[in-house]
Amino acid sequence: MAAEPPGGGGAHALPFGGQVLVLWLAEAELRLRRTALGGGRFGGGSSGAFGLRGRRRDAAIVCCGCAAHAATGVVLPCVLLRRRKRSEALEYLLLAVHASNRFELSCQFELDYELKEDVRLLGGPTVLWRHADRLFYISPGTGTVRSPPVQLSSVVWAGEIEGEGTVVLGVRTARLQEDEAEDGLSASDRAIWGTEFFGYAIEAQKMLASTCFMPHAYSRVVSSVHVCKSEMLKKQLRTSVVAVTHKNQLIWFQDGHPKGVCELPYEKPWSIKTAVTSGNHLLFIVSFASGNVCVVRSENLQVASKWQKVKSVLVDDFVGCGTDQLLLLFKDDSSTDLLSTFKITDLGKVNYESGINYKDDVPAAEGLQENGLLTIQALEKRLQAGLSSVRELQQHLGLKKRVLIESCRALIDLVEERSHILPAAKKEGLVSLWDDVENPPHSLSKEASSTSKVPDHFIEKLWQRVVGESLVVGVKVTESFSLSLSDVSLSLVVDQDFSSISPIIECRNKIIKLNKAFSALSVSSCQIEPPPKKMKLDLHSKNDLKNQVHKKCSKINLEGAKTVTAVTSLSPLLAFHCVCCVVLLHAKKQKHQNDGLQKSKKITLLCGKVLLSLEDISDGKYSVKMLRDNSYCTGSMEDILAVLAASMRFSFQIQSSDFTLTSVNSWLLGEMECTPFKECHDYMFCHKAGNVYSTVFNWTLKSPFEGVLTLFCRSLTVLFQCLHSLTKVLPPSCDVKLLKSGSKDVLTEQLALALEKEMLTSRTSLSSKESKAENSLIRQNEPGKKISDAPVTSLLDSEDKVQQFRMKLQNEREESVLNMNQTMNGTLYQEMALKLAEAQLSSDMIVWRLNKS
């Protein structure tokens, strides 16, 4: 193997990672030598070789460059070789060079002609070339040579564009008969210029609007193009392009419009490169056919420097300062070494020339090593600071988790009437927001003890069912206990033994009431409020804004037993194989006062525990069982309630002016294969196979021409399927309307009760204030404080007595005015305003729901 590469055109220099790779052919091998700058010269480095079959004169290096591999994304040096086979066919080898100097064959192909025109190495790696006004390419992904259906006379640029992949910009003869709407170029314009630009995306196999790069008028004079920037903005390609022309000009285009021109110092420019030097300066490097090179600054489009007799110019970070420099390799007939005469510069602080010893200069090798060490130390400190922030965040999240778990344990102990000792705040690194008081205030202790006064027979039954992907937990409440529908909810809390998961389970609540006629009514426990009123009042209060407004409303809800259900997703719980959950019921117990108003007290009850295991679910222990028994559907009451709770509820008002609605009931019993529940005759279960199976219907006729159809279905898809089937049997004149907020009769009655409560609240507040003023006047006019009963004439027999009488009368008048205009302290006013706002918010909410129904 030769110790040094030959000079002249046989050797190729390729910049990569701050090094210069020299490639040349010697004997029957392709040889490689890596060199790096040190002591004012390129030397050292490793070497490698790739064996070739045949003679040296039958092989040649076509081109070399750096390309990213599609499989790994790693950028590697690549070299394209040509060798002649015995059959006179030309074989081409595309080789990739690894860090160990090992050559890897990326692809291999044969041609009957020699590659000379517009040969490019692109990502993949891909070899792209032009021959006979056709475009060809091959890569490891294609395996064979492919040719897009385009004609072109030259390739001015090829590279990657975001969103489009590999794109080729070329020049072709103007197509006078072709209509390109995106270019907006008329046939006369093409005839004038004779040629036109075009862009072609290889992967997408589509033409691009070439005018976003530059106008067609420049197609006859442009020799090389470099796309500096490209991005897709609002579905439009935005570009920044620089081009050199046969007119010895450099032109900068922005989004297809020329922004500046620079006159070049030499003739026949044929290629252009870019470099980003220190200070983020963008330089345009133009090479000429005569071997000359010039550099143009982008900020002013002025020639900054120029050189002659240059063999090649390379761009990379050769000195290790983090930005680009130019490596100019000059022609030297006295030396066979390709790197014997060179110059490195960034047109700034970095300037190196061959033949000068830079051993003691800075930045030399020692200075660069020192800079690198300082950079590494700074990066290590940033990494340590980042790790510290991550550790602090992990500790904070762990503390939050412990606080939540401890709060749930305290809640469970409170419900089960067990004492709970909270850990000290200082132990967790927290600051207590409460004063350390041994004896809590009377109001708090009284409220905490309210749980023990609830009757034991309040909870009648606790059950659980699995419906599809949901777990339904139900608590049946006794009929005798006074609770309103909107104030009851369930919470599922994971038992303390499962501290590795979130203690509180997200669930949605529903209340199912069964009246004495066994008719089910499903109502959400969290009623929808009108959006403008949701934040009407945000004060800390012991009274909830969703209280029922009158004792008459409570009587309506107490006609039958109620079942409160909680529905949650089943799959997260099954991940732990076996989970135990504590069921808590939250409600308000209402007490009627003498003034007709209700006073509510919040209570929390422990209903029991439910155990959920994967084995029980697999055995179908908690599955819903709905079977046909003659003309009825058999199923326990819990099964019926579970299906209703896990379903979505929709009510539709159906009216017909010309025909009766008997077809609806026939549709339910026939087409939908429904049978009524044995426990609830008004509700029918759908046994039809398919998505509609397990849908529950309720059809209530108000008159032969009007009725309400209520559906309990699993999803909106099932709802649409049912409605689609229903429309086929309804009379054409039917009017179907979705009822969003329930029956108008019930809402009207609720509105009357709410307005009555609002009136009583306002009257009570004002009457209490008036009674205080009257009592004050009575106290001031007591017998001991009245004016003497002596005759008025005896009080007016002297001037002094008249004056005294006048003063007393004036004082009594002022006191009377003051009593009638008493001020009110803030606490009393806040209490009165809160009560009045509660009543008004309740009535406003019902009015909104009434308007929506």
Side-chain angles (χ1 to χ4, degrees):
M1 180 181 292
E4 295 291 338
H12 291 254
L14 176 64
F16 181 74
Q19 298 178 328
V20 177
L21 279 64
V22 182
L23 298 151
W24 77 99
L25 292 170
E27 300 176 354
E29 289 183 328
L30 170 65
R31 298 182 180 180
L32 161 73
R33 181 164 65 90
R34 295 177 183 265
T35 62
L37 181 65
R41 60 185 296 270
F42 283 94
S46 56
S47 60
F50 178 78
L52 297 172
R53 298 188 304 271
R55 296 170 296 178
R56 153 72 180 85
R57 64 181 183 180
D58 293 334
I61 298 176
V62 179
C63 64
C64 55
C66 297
H69 276 225
T72 62
V74 179
V75 178
L76 294 177
C78 297
V79 57
L80 180 63
L81 293 179
R82 180 190 71 240
R83 64 182 181 186
R84 190 176 300 276
K85 302 181 70 175
R86 292 182 179 179
S87 61
E88 297 301 322
L90 296 176
E91 184 182 38
Y92 290 88
L93 307 175
L94 179 60
L95 304 175
V97 184
H98 291 270
S100 60
N101 295 331
R102 178 178 62 87
F103 288 87
E104 177 188 0
L105 180 62
S106 297
C107 63
Q108 183 177 357
F109 58 98
E110 292 186 6
L111 298 174
D112 57 359
Y113 56 88
E114 185 177 341
L115 296 184
K116 293 181 179 180
E117 300 173 322
D118 296 327
V119 182
R120 312 285 176 118
L121 292 182
L122 305 175
T126 301
V127 182
L128 183 142
W129 69 93
R130 179 178 60 87
H131 178 72
D133 291 341
R134 295 288 303 276
L135 189 67
F136 300 89
Y137 68 94
I138 186 174
S139 68
T142 62
T144 59
V145 177
R146 296 185 179 181
S147 177
V150 292
Q151 297 282 336
L152 73 166
S153 57
S154 66
V155 175
V156 295
W157 181 82
E160 296 288 328
I161 289 183
E162 183 181 359
E164 300 293 348
T166 303
V167 173
V168 176
L169 294 182
V171 177
R172 66 182 180 184
T173 303
R175 306 298 177 89
L176 300 181
Q177 303 300 325
E178 187 174 350
D179 182 16
E180 294 184 3
E182 69 273 11
D183 287 349
L185 188 65
S186 64
S188 59
D189 292 332
R190 289 193 178 95
I192 292 174
W193 306 121
T195 58
E196 63 181 352
F197 278 116
F198 77 96
Y200 183 78
I202 291 181
E203 285 86 354
Q205 298 183 3
K206 66 176 184 179
M207 302 296 293
L208 301 180
S210 57
T211 52
C212 63
F213 297 96
M214 66 185 71
H216 288 285
Y218 294 87
S219 60
R220 294 179 61 88
V221 296
V222 168
S223 58
S224 180
V225 170
H226 183 84
V227 178
C228 303
K229 183 180 179 181
S230 62
E231 62 177 350
M232 192 66 68
L233 187 62
K234 295 182 180 180
K235 298 182 180 181
Q236 185 176 2
L237 185 62
R238 311 298 295 270
T239 63
S240 178
V241 176
V242 62
V244 291
T245 70
H246 301 307
K247 301 294 184 180
N248 305 330
Q249 291 177 326
L250 181 145
I251 308 175
W252 193 359
F253 298 92
Q254 193 75 29
D255 297 329
H257 303 286
K259 295 298 181 182
V261 180
C262 174
E263 295 293 334
L264 299 176
Y266 306 111
E267 295 182 350
K268 297 182 180 180
W270 66 275
S271 72
I272 181 170
K273 299 179 181 180
T274 60
V276 181
T277 61
S278 58
N280 201 29
H281 296 297
L282 177 62
L283 303 179
F284 301 134
I285 305 137
V286 182
S287 298
F288 298 84
S290 58
N292 300 330
V293 173
C294 75
V295 175
V296 179
R297 294 188 183 275
S298 62
E299 53 265 26
N300 54 15
L301 291 183
Q302 296 293 323
V303 176
S305 187
K306 57 185 178 179
W307 302 272
Q308 296 179 345
K309 296 182 179 181
V310 178
K311 286 189 294 187
S312 63
V313 55
L314 311 179
V315 177
D316 209 321
D317 183 12
F318 301 102
V319 301
C321 65
T323 56
D324 292 337
Q325 303 95 43
L326 281 66
L327 172 59
L328 298 150
L329 302 179
F330 295 97
K331 298 177 182 178
D332 187 1
D333 297 334
S334 62
S335 176
T336 60
D337 186 4
L338 182 64
L339 301 174
S340 61
T341 307
F342 66 88
K343 179 181 179 64
I344 297 177
T345 181
D346 65 351
L347 303 187
K349 296 181 179 180
V350 179
N351 284 284
Y352 289 90
E353 291 188 23
S354 57
I356 301 177
N357 190 355
Y358 292 92
K359 184 177 180 181
D360 299 329
D361 290 352
V362 177
E366 295 82 359
L368 294 176
Q369 291 179 358
E370 182 181 358
N371 291 338
L373 180 60
L374 294 176
T375 303
I376 292 174
Q377 291 176 350
L379 292 176
E380 287 179 348
K381 290 181 179 179
R382 292 182 60 183
L383 181 60
Q384 291 174 358
L387 291 176
S388 300
S389 300
V390 172
R391 283 194 295 267
E392 290 179 1
L393 182 59
Q394 289 176 343
Q395 293 174 358
H396 183 65
L397 293 176
L399 177 59
K400 279 187 174 181
K401 182 178 179 180
R402 291 193 297 273
V403 170
L404 288 175
I405 293 176
E406 192 65 33
S407 301
C408 292
R409 290 174 179 172
L411 176 61
I412 295 174
D413 290 340
L414 177 64
V415 172
E416 296 181 351
E417 299 183 359
R418 295 196 305 261
S419 60
H420 184 87
I421 302 176
L422 290 173
K426 294 181 180 179
K427 183 179 179 181
E428 293 287 358
L430 302 175
V431 178
S432 178
L433 298 179
W434 301 94
D435 296 331
D436 296 330
V437 181
E438 296 181 359
N439 297 322
H442 174 70
S443 58
L444 295 177
S445 61
K446 182 178 179 180
E447 184 177 352
S449 63
S450 62
T451 307
S452 60
K453 297 180 182 180
V454 178
D456 296 335
H457 59 276
F458 170 63
I459 304 299
E460 187 172 317
K461 190 175 183 181
L462 172 65
W463 51 269
Q464 65 191 93
R465 291 291 186 276
V466 173
V467 182
E469 297 292 329
S470 302
L471 170 67
V472 182
V473 177
V475 175
K476 187 176 181 181
V477 182
T478 57
E479 182 178 355
S480 60
F481 202 80
S482 173
L483 290 174
S484 66
L485 285 175
S486 61
D487 294 330
V488 186
S489 63
L490 290 182
S491 294
L492 301 181
V493 183
V494 178
D495 198 30
Q496 300 181 14
D497 297 335
F498 298 88
S499 59
S500 60
I501 60 177
S502 177
I504 300 179
I505 301 175
E506 181 181 0
C507 56
R508 62 182 187 273
N509 288 280
K510 285 188 178 181
I511 298 175
I512 312 294
K513 186 192 71 173
L514 297 177
N515 58 24
K516 295 178 181 179
F518 296 100
S519 177
L521 175 64
S522 175
V523 182
S524 173
S525 64
C526 298
Q527 297 181 2
I528 301 176
E529 299 182 16
K533 303 295 184 181
K534 276 196 172 183
M535 300 302 297
K536 182 174 180 180
L537 189 64
D538 189 11
L539 298 173
H540 297 287
S541 172
K542 297 180 181 179
N543 297 322
D544 190 273
L545 297 182
K546 294 182 182 178
N547 283 345
Q548 291 298 324
V549 296
H550 197 264
K551 59 184 179 181
K552 184 177 179 181
C553 184
S554 298
K555 290 180 180 179
I556 294 174
N557 294 330
L558 287 173
E559 291 180 357
K562 300 173 209 167
T563 298
V564 187
T565 60
V567 184
T568 186
S569 179
L570 181 63
S571 53
L573 300 177
L574 294 182
F576 298 94
H577 185 73
C578 183
V579 176
C580 181
C581 298
V582 177
V583 182
L584 300 177
L585 188 141
H586 312 280
K588 288 185 179 180
K589 186 177 180 181
Q590 297 177 345
K591 182 179 180 181
H592 302 288
Q593 298 178 348
N594 296 330
D595 57 3
L597 296 177
Q598 293 180 352
K599 182 179 181 181
S600 60
K601 179 174 61 176
K602 295 180 181 180
I603 60 173
T604 302
L605 302 178
L606 175 64
C607 303
K609 297 183 179 180
V610 293
L611 183 64
L612 190 68
S613 66
L614 187 58
E615 183 177 358
D616 291 340
I617 294 176
S618 301
D619 295 340
K621 182 177 179 180
Y622 304 114
S623 299
V624 174
K625 299 177 178 62
M626 297 291 183
L627 302 175
R628 282 186 179 182
D629 183 10
N630 297 326
S631 59
Y632 291 101
C633 178
T634 61
S636 65
M637 187 61 64
E638 287 76 19
D639 293 340
I640 299 174
L641 297 178
V643 172
L644 296 179
S647 302
M648 304 170 65
R649 179 178 183 267
F650 299 93
S651 295
F652 296 90
Q653 183 183 35
I654 304 176
Q655 292 179 325
S656 176
S657 58
D658 301 328
F659 300 92
T660 60
L661 298 176
T662 56
S663 58
V664 177
N665 195 58
S666 301
W667 171 73
L668 291 173
L669 298 176
E671 174 69 19
M672 303 307 292
E673 301 179 17
C674 294
T675 56
F677 289 114
K678 201 168 186 178
E679 300 291 339
C680 303
H681 295 177
D682 293 341
Y683 281 73
M684 290 182 282
F685 186 84
C686 178
H687 296 276
K688 185 177 180 179
N691 292 336
V692 297
Y693 179 79
S694 76
T695 304
V696 179
F697 296 90
N698 172 257
W699 171 239
T700 303
L701 272 174
K702 294 184 178 181
S703 69
F705 303 95
E706 181 181 359
V708 175
L709 179 65
T710 303
L711 297 87
F712 296 85
C713 51
R714 293 175 299 172
S715 63
L716 291 175
T717 303
V718 176
L719 172 66
F720 294 147
Q721 287 179 330
C722 294
L723 293 178
H724 178 69
S725 177
L726 176 62
T727 54
K728 295 180 180 179
V729 300
L730 288 177
S733 60
C734 267
D735 182 22
V736 181
K737 178 182 179 183
L738 175 64
L739 301 178
K740 298 183 179 180
S741 302
S743 173
K744 286 189 175 182
D745 296 337
V746 176
L747 292 175
T748 303
E749 185 173 2
Q750 291 181 358
L751 178 60
L753 296 174
L755 293 175
E756 183 180 353
K757 179 185 176 182
E758 183 178 342
M759 181 184 65
L760 289 173
T761 302
S762 178
R763 187 182 67 183
T764 303
S765 302
L766 295 176
S767 61
S768 62
K769 187 62 183 173
E770 292 174 356
S771 62
K772 291 182 180 179
E774 292 176 358
N775 293 335
S776 177
L777 287 176
I778 292 174
R779 287 195 301 270
Q780 292 175 3
N781 294 324
E782 290 177 355
K785 297 183 179 180
K786 288 183 180 180
I787 301 176
S788 176
D789 293 336
V792 178
T793 54
S794 62
L795 296 175
L796 303 176
D797 55 1
S798 66
E799 185 178 352
D800 294 337
K801 291 182 178 181
V802 171
Q803 188 65 26
Q804 292 178 3
F805 181 80
R806 184 178 296 169
M807 292 292 294
K808 283 185 178 183
L809 186 61
Q810 182 66 26
N811 291 336
E812 289 181 0
R813 182 181 300 171
E814 291 177 357
E815 289 179 1
S816 177
V817 172
L818 290 175
N819 287 332
M820 296 304 295
N821 294 278
Q822 289 183 353
T823 59
M824 185 182 298
N825 59 49
T827 304
L828 180 59
Y829 178 78
Q830 185 180 10
E831 182 180 354
M832 292 174 56
L834 181 60
K835 288 182 179 180
L836 188 59
E838 287 179 3
Q840 292 175 347
L841 181 60
S842 178
S843 59
D844 289 346
M845 182 178 65
I846 298 174
V847 170
W848 175 79
R849 294 177 60 200
L850 192 60
N851 292 331
K852 297 289 285 185
S853 64

